[in-house]
């Protein structure tokens, strides 16, 4: 008798293991999504969004279920026997050496190893949205950048996209609601094209906004010394001073942006950032969309349909 039974994607028929109908495609797609840097919550959300039935009969996919497949050596054809022993009066489960080619193989050894390394690296960076260095600001738009679809804040993560045979590590933004996993189907957005776009073109964007504000005042006969501009000018100057530096302090830049804008909406499909000014109005700034299309193409290639 096998402790814990055999893997959920298998069935035992006429003395041999067989993969359940449709299970191969689902398991392979779970691993493909993990290879491009998607976490268990994001994978579960995508499976649920596409109404992919679970392999256990449960109504919805959960992050724990996804991790069960990602961490189970059975997908690579291995069986790890377990035995129970009583040590110091306590029942302890001991693992025996794995038996290769025991189950039908679904995932290659190379893919299995890549995904295990990525999960191990991610586990060392808990909590989930910690970027590794608590004293260094890595996302200058933190607390104000949000998703155009679900409206939740976007957290900066750094992961290996794991496109074999080259390991490519990139920081990117992903939806991060305050409570629970994200249900947004929005894919990850590469961070540096957005970051660099603001460093290079942010000052000009602010000058254009200010010029438009003056023209509006003149056209409508408004008081040129209105309080809105009086509050806006020093805050804009603070940001522009930081942007003029070769290596601006990211912590100070983040604080300055929070004072100047109430939100920064990432519009990945248009390749634009929409800056919502704290005193009314908005401005747009284009970023190098082609870099993000790389990730978008990978995710679109993983569209899953029931077998």
């Amino acid at each position: 008798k096998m402790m814990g039974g055999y893997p959920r994607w298998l069935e035992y028929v006429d003395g041999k293991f067989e993969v359940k109908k449709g299970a191969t495609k689902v398991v392979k797609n779970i691993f493909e999504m993990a290879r491009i840097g998607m976490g268990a919550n994001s994978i579960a959300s995508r499976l649920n969004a596409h109404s992919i039935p679970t392999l256990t009969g449960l109504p919805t996919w959960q992050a724990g279920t996804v991790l069960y497949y990602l961490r189970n050596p059975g997908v690579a054809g291995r069986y790890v026997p377990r035995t129970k022993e009583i040590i110091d009066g306590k029942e302890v489960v001991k693992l025996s050496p794995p038996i290769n080619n025991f189950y039908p193989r679904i995932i290659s050894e190379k893919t299995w190893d890549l995904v295990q390394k990525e999960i191990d690296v991610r586990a060392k960076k808990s909590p989930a949205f910690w970027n590794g260095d608590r004293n260094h600001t890595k996302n200058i738009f933190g607390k104000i950048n949000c998703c155009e679809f679900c409206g939740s804040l976007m957290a900066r993560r750094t992961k290996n996209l794991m496109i074999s045979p080259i390991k490519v590590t990139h920081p990117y933004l992903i939806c991060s609601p305050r409570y629970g996993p994200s249900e947004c189907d929005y894919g990850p957005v590469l961070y540096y094209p957005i970051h660099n776009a603001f460093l290079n073109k942010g000052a000009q964007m602010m000058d254009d906004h200010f010029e438009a504000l003056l023209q509006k005042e003149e056209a409508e006969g408004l008081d040129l010394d209105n309080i809105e501009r009086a509050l806006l000018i020093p805050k804009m100057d603070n940001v522009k001073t930081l942007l003029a530096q070769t290596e601006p302090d990211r912590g100070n830049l983040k604080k300055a942006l929070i004072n100047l804008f109430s939100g920064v909406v990432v519009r990945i499909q248009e390749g634009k950032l929409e800056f919502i000014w704290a005193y009314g109005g908005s401005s747009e700034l284009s970023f190098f969309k082609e870099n993000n299309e790389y990730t978008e193409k990978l995710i679109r290639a993983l569209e899953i349909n029931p077998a």
Side-chain angles (χ1 to χ4, degrees):
K1 182 179 178 181
M2 302 171 65
M3 281 185 60
Y6 47 83
R8 300 173 187 176
W9 61 87
L10 299 174
E11 52 189 0
Y12 195 64
V13 180
D14 296 331
K16 64 179 181 178
F17 291 108
E18 294 182 359
V19 180
K20 293 180 180 178
K21 183 179 179 181
T24 298
K25 186 174 183 180
V26 173
V27 173
K28 283 186 175 181
N29 274 279
I30 288 175
F31 271 79
E32 278 300 305
M33 285 186 275
R35 288 180 69 229
I36 66 168
M38 294 176 68
N41 282 321
S42 298
I43 295 173
S45 296
R46 175 163 283 274
L47 292 170
N48 289 327
H50 287 271
S51 301
I52 306 303
T54 64
L55 303 179
T56 59
L58 295 174
T60 59
W61 289 88
Q62 302 294 327
T65 308
V66 172
L67 280 175
Y68 166 80
Y69 294 107
L70 291 175
R71 284 301 208 184
N72 197 313
V75 297
R78 289 196 298 274
Y79 167 53
V80 182
R82 293 180 294 173
T83 57
K84 290 182 179 180
E85 294 184 9
I86 304 299
I87 300 178
D88 296 331
K90 295 182 180 181
E91 189 176 72
V92 178
V93 175
K94 299 190 68 175
L95 302 181
S96 301
I99 302 173
N100 295 322
N101 302 315
F102 188 87
Y103 298 122
R105 179 190 294 272
I106 297 179
I107 302 300
S108 70
E109 264 324 304
K110 189 172 184 179
T111 298
W112 166 262
D113 290 339
L114 281 170
V115 171
Q116 300 316 302
K117 290 178 182 178
E118 171 63 10
I119 295 175
D120 289 340
V121 170
R122 189 183 307 137
K124 293 178 182 178
K125 293 185 177 181
S126 350
F129 303 128
W130 175 37
N131 289 315
D133 184 351
R134 298 180 186 273
N135 298 317
H136 182 67
T137 299
K138 294 192 175 182
N139 178 11
I140 60 174
F141 306 113
K143 297 185 178 181
I144 55 174
N145 60 300
C146 57
C147 171
E148 66 174 308
F149 295 111
C150 69
S152 64
L153 292 178
M154 302 188 78
R156 181 188 187 276
R157 298 189 189 179
T158 301
K159 290 185 181 178
N160 173 24
L161 293 180
M162 292 192 297
I163 306 304
S164 298
I166 302 173
K167 179 176 180 179
V168 183
T169 301
H170 287 295
Y172 63 89
L173 300 177
I174 192 167
C175 299
S176 58
R178 184 175 180 184
Y179 301 105
S182 172
E183 296 182 357
C184 183
D185 201 30
Y186 200 51
V189 185
L190 291 179
Y191 172 74
Y192 277 122
I194 294 172
H195 176 99
N196 292 333
F198 183 74
L199 293 187
N200 295 329
K201 298 181 284 187
Q204 184 61 52
M205 180 199 72
M206 289 186 285
D207 288 341
D208 292 343
H209 174 75
F210 191 69
E211 182 63 29
L213 185 61
L214 290 177
Q215 292 177 1
K216 179 181 178 181
E217 291 177 348
E218 184 176 355
E220 298 179 1
L222 300 177
D223 182 4
L224 294 181
D225 293 324
N226 69 76
I227 189 170
E228 177 182 334
R229 274 196 301 108
L231 294 171
L232 185 62
I233 291 174
K235 295 182 178 182
M236 284 181 53
D237 288 344
N238 186 21
V239 174
K240 290 166 65 176
T241 298
L242 289 168
L243 291 178
Q245 300 172 3
T246 303
E247 291 290 338
D249 184 283
R250 293 187 183 185
N252 289 333
L253 184 55
K254 176 181 176 181
K255 293 177 183 178
L257 291 177
I258 291 174
N259 287 331
L260 193 58
F261 303 106
S262 61
V264 179
V265 183
V266 182
R267 302 195 180 282
I268 179 63
Q269 294 181 340
E270 302 172 32
K272 293 181 179 179
L273 300 176
E274 182 182 1
F275 290 82
I276 312 301
W277 293 85
Y279 299 105
S282 64
S283 297
E284 289 188 343
L285 187 153
S286 297
F287 59 88
F288 190 48
K289 181 181 176 184
E290 286 74 12
N291 284 14
N292 292 277
E293 287 178 342
Y294 170 68
T295 303
E296 284 288 292
K297 182 179 179 181
L298 291 173
I299 293 176
R300 285 196 298 269
L302 296 175
E303 294 298 331
I304 306 170
N305 296 309

